Amino acid sequence: VKLCIAAVALAACRSVPSPVDAFVSVSQRKLGGAPAHHRHICHVRHQSCSRWPSRHQARQLSRPPSDSAATTTSLSLSPIAAVSKAMSSLPAIPAIVRKIILLGAAIRVALSLNLKRIFYPNIVQDPAADAPLPPGRLGCPLFGNQIFVGSKTFGTGYFWHRMARALGNPRVWMVYFLGRPGAVISGGDNIKKLLNTEFDADGVQTGVQPSGILNEHSLLAETDRRRHADMRRLVGAAMTPAAVAAAVPNLRAAADRQVGRMLTSGHANAEEACTAYTLDVAWRQILGLSLADDEVPVFGARVEEWIAGFADLRVVFNVFAQRSGAFRAKEYLTRKIVEKVEQLERDGPDESTLSAMVYATDEGAEEEDSNSKEEPTSTSIGSSRNRKLTREQIVENSLLLILAGSETSASTLTNALLFLGLSPDKWRHLVEEQRAMMATHGDEMSRELLDRECPYLEGVIKETMRLKPLSSGAPRTLKSTVTIDGYQIPKGWGVNWNVLLTHEADPTTHREDGSHMDVKDGFQPERWLDEATRPTTDFIPMGAGPRYCLGSGLAYTEMKVFLATLARRMDFALADDALETSQDVEWKRMSIIPLPKDGVPIVVRPALVQRASDKAAVLA
């Protein structure tokens, strides 16, 4: 069959009078020669016209010369002779048909040789590296994989989960998105080794491009090692352990306000309650604003619109991005921050995180400058003697803290309440821990006590982040080719360091049936109390390397204060009893961290201990 196809194609390409000639020519090449009478057929080309030989002519031509009579019978029975005879009976091929055959043959050859290069450009192996490219399924030609695909049974991050399983859960695999190849990397050691090369000449660099939603003055977008280190120290001055500890009373006040609202109504939506709490922390503690009651929902709506811009395709691809609601929301938030900065500069510092950034100075910067051989640049932070954050850096990094302190913390707290509602025994354990702490320390709540006296509380938060983390961190781009787990990742490729896949494959917790990641069976805060079962290097919800989450201390404390306040003041249960038994959780398809679709409706009532103390107060 292949010989017949080749003959027809060759006839069209070379314009030979007959596919019989072409067939014999191809057969000679394939079989390494031909009998004399077939060579005789090839010579007929000199005598033939533009039409094929007639059936009689073909029969005469296919007959061997008289000096080969002894072999006539055997040759006439050969496949070559039989097909030649059959093809000779075909009608003449018009010129247009030949051209169509030629085009089809050319396309077929092109596809067979360069299919991946045509449909998936830019996938080029580095010839200097011996290792092969990682495996992968590249999705729709030219467009690539649908990396934003979520699932109602899994939530956001479903693409990474499903594709990794389809490929056999390798630690490195290929992904393709909008004409650009990249690699997905999992495993704590692999990720930390790669991210620790940030700012090295042959390492990785951030893939976050200034888009207006988050510009070049943000820690996430800064690409210069020295400027990033300076900015991180100055922003970090507002995130020291002492600063976080000093914020606990304000955090607790915000938690008390939210618990009071829930108890008044007797029911609540967990997502709405947790978001209201973290937004309260954002505008009171982080920014130090004084908002009127009617302006609080406006502030919350603008934060939500701005965060939604990170997934808005107009912003991602910079198509009419300035017209998006996210840009208008950022203008509102920027105006609020600038007004507060001006007030702080006029009236002096207060207890807010923003104030600490405004008045932070880089101690030791003068000594560092004297030892540095680099000349200060126009983009350096402040002067060499009194380095401070610029106005633009204060605004951008305040917004970054709102993103980390409101959206991600609220989502984690919402999921924690869902998991605790699905496992009432875990909730009771958390309540008992708080009662034991109150029996010893009374109503006191400090960062030191929460860290020292509440290991189960910490286990609840970390287990929640293990099960439903931010699926992947900010992308990176390779400055040089690297080899990881036996696969090369060429220079210029994007790298997705995947937290979800790292948690899924953690050998400390892994189960073949996947139950270790199930929200009902896998939620085991107790695992964090034992060194043998506690995840270690493969637990990376806050990232790694020089860009490790700067606000992690504040985020952990914020979540601990909220859950501790709930455990002390109220009892709760899921409004949908079926979730505890047979019904599966339905998830939102798109969110930064996976979130239940219904927001987790709950029924609340005052805690027994709280009710007893209230009664005692009344009797007194």
Side-chain angles (χ1 to χ4, degrees), residues 93-139:
I93 299 180
I96 184 63
V97 176
R98 290 184 181 180
K99 293 179 180 179
I100 293 174
I101 294 174
L102 172 61
L103 178 62
I107 293 175
R108 180 67 186 88
V109 171
L111 292 180
S112 64
L113 296 179
N114 297 298
L115 181 62
K116 184 173 289 187
R117 291 186 181 181
I118 293 174
F119 289 147
Y120 304 99
N122 302 319
I123 300 179
V124 180
Q125 188 167 350
D126 187 343
D130 296 331
L133 294 174
R137 297 181 182 179
L138 306 182

Side-chain angles (χ1 to χ4, degrees), residues 411-433:
S411 299
T412 299
L413 288 172
T414 301
N415 288 333
L417 290 179
L418 170 65
F419 301 160
L420 291 168
L422 291 171
S423 304
D425 58 316
K426 316 295 185 187
W427 169 250
R428 287 192 293 270
H429 195 155
L430 182 62
V431 170
E432 290 167 1
E433 184 180 68

Side-chain angles (χ1 to χ4, degrees), residues 39-78:
R39 290 196 298 271
H40 173 68
I41 293 176
C42 296
H43 294 317
V44 175
R45 293 182 58 190
H46 300 293
Q47 306 170 14
S48 58
C49 61
S50 61
R51 298 184 59 82
W52 292 13
S54 67
R55 183 178 303 178
H56 175 73
Q57 289 174 323
R59 188 179 300 113
Q60 293 295 324
L61 291 173
S62 63
R63 185 177 302 151
S66 58
D67 59 350
S68 304
T71 60
T72 300
T73 303
S74 61
L75 290 174
S76 64
L77 297 177
S78 69

